[in-house]
Amino acid sequence: MNGFLKGFLKLIANRALVLGPVLAVLMLLGGAIGSFGNYGWATQAGLGVGMALYLLFWSLLIGGVLRLLLSIDDRLERLEGNR
């Protein structure tokens, strides 16, 4: 894998693993604050929690899979270098 693609995938994986949970927490806080005083606050808070968990799941899945693929590529490059 060339250096640019590897660097780009590392950037995407790091952003997904760091910003995903941060955005999920912000969504939870925003949903909790925005739902007070509104009719149907439980529904709005439930939707906020659901969306935050959905974002958290996909960001951690994407980041984890990219990290796994990059570590496999690094090991294959090391094996080729030992030959």
Side-chain angles (χ1 to χ4, degrees):
M1 187 182 310
N2 65 12
F4 174 75
L5 181 60
K6 187 180 283 190
F8 181 71
L9 289 178
K10 280 184 183 179
L11 178 74
I12 297 297
N14 287 338
R15 297 288 188 238
L17 289 172
V18 171
L19 290 179
V22 169
L23 288 175
V25 168
L26 289 175
M27 286 175 68
L28 286 173
L29 289 175
I33 292 170
S35 65
F36 286 122
N38 293 333
Y39 180 73
W41 62 271
T43 303
Q44 289 179 354
L47 286 174
V49 169
M51 290 188 304
L53 290 175
Y54 185 76
L55 171 71
L56 185 64
F57 170 76
W58 282 108
S59 65
L60 292 179
L61 180 71
I62 290 169
V65 167
L66 286 176
R67 279 279 175 99
L68 178 67
L69 291 175
L70 289 169
S71 69
I72 290 171
D73 184 59
D74 287 340
R75 287 178 191 245
L76 287 175
E77 286 179 0
R78 263 188 264 135
L79 284 173
E80 288 175 356
N82 289 337
R83 284 185 178 180

